[in-house]
Amino acid sequence: MNTEKDFSPLTPNIVRALNDKLYEKRKVAALEIEKLVREFVAQNNSTQIRHVIQILASEFALSQHPHSRKGGLIGLAACSIALGKDSGLYLKELIEPVLTCFNDSDSRLRYYACEALYNIVKVARGAVLPHFNLLFDGLSKLAADPDPNVKSGSELLDRLLKDIVTEMDTKLLGKCVAHCWFSNFFVFLIF
């Protein structure tokens, strides 16, 4: 990773900590990213939000250096947490680099990718449904992962996705029953 490169709006301290081999330092960087993105949300500055996500994706999550990839993953999850309900506006940019890390040869990195995607999905809730096919493909690869931690992480993510789909189906069916009369018949949607 080029330490001379300008990663603004990320500070040099955040960049250094994202590249650190210690999880605790990467976690501190993620908290700083969360704070920074919350400020951009308060300012309604979508350009800077997209820029932070782009840096975390291309320079960290998709880096050749494993610690940088881990830092990018935790940073992307922190962005989603900071965005809250607005994370749906940035899901493609948040999800795709994480899914790429599902194919990493390092089992710890695959586990961190599961954890990051879990946090992104948990915040975004129903907004992830347009990306369901991509998520399903990624999860199906991890379901047979030889590492028990990765497999366990993918099962947690799978349960969360099932809960979200069930929650959305219930809401849609409720709306349908309450509001959809057509030629004296209820219109039912089957998914």
Side-chain angles (χ1 to χ4, degrees):
M1 167 144 298
N2 183 355
T3 55
E4 302 296 318
K5 194 169 185 178
D6 181 21
F7 292 102
S8 63
L10 301 181
T11 66
N13 287 339
I14 292 174
V15 171
R16 215 174 358 269
L18 284 174
N19 286 303
D20 203 280
K21 66 180 180 177
L22 295 176
Y23 170 80
E24 291 78 22
K25 290 190 179 180
R26 293 191 307 266
K27 177 72 174 170
V28 169
L31 293 172
E32 289 298 314
I33 290 168
E34 186 179 336
K35 194 165 93 175
L36 181 67
V37 172
R38 283 186 198 276
E39 290 172 12
F40 292 146
V41 169
Q43 298 165 1
N44 200 23
N45 192 339
S46 62
T47 303
Q48 285 291 58
I49 294 168
R50 285 194 192 286
H51 188 61
V52 168
I53 293 170
Q54 187 273 325
I55 289 170
L56 290 169
S58 64
E59 300 294 334
F60 291 91
L62 301 176
S63 168
Q64 295 299 312
H65 192 271
H67 298 309
S68 297
R69 288 195 302 272
K70 291 172 188 173
L73 290 168
I74 197 169
L76 290 168
C79 285
S80 183
I81 291 166
L83 288 164
K85 63 179 175 52
D86 293 334
S87 65
L89 301 171
Y90 307 92
L91 276 177
K92 184 178 187 319
E93 296 91 342
L94 290 166
I95 290 174
E96 287 181 356
V98 176
L99 288 174
T100 299
C101 291
F102 276 14
N103 299 316
D104 202 277
S105 61
D106 180 355
S107 64
R108 299 262 318 149
L109 216 124
R110 291 193 308 273
Y111 175 78
Y112 285 134
C114 276
E115 185 178 57
L117 192 56
Y118 180 90
N119 288 320
I120 292 167
V121 169
K122 187 171 181 158
V123 171
R125 304 295 297 174
V128 302
L129 292 180
H131 306 279
F132 184 80
N133 288 343
L134 281 174
L135 297 173
F136 183 79
D137 286 345
L139 275 174
S140 63
K141 292 173 189 167
L142 294 185
D145 199 279
D147 186 282
N149 291 324
V150 175
K151 195 169 183 174
S152 174
S154 72
E155 289 168 357
L156 284 172
L157 180 55
D158 180 63
R159 279 196 293 274
L160 176 61
L161 278 172
K162 285 177 184 172
D163 289 346
I164 291 169
V165 169
T166 303
E167 178 183 295
M168 292 297 121
D169 280 351
T170 303
K171 286 180 182 177
L172 287 174
L173 184 59
K175 286 180 183 178
C176 180
V177 170
H179 302 294
C180 296
W181 279 91
F182 181 75
S183 301
N184 296 325
F185 295 103
F186 283 113
V187 176
F188 291 97
L189 302 175
I190 300 172
F191 295 94

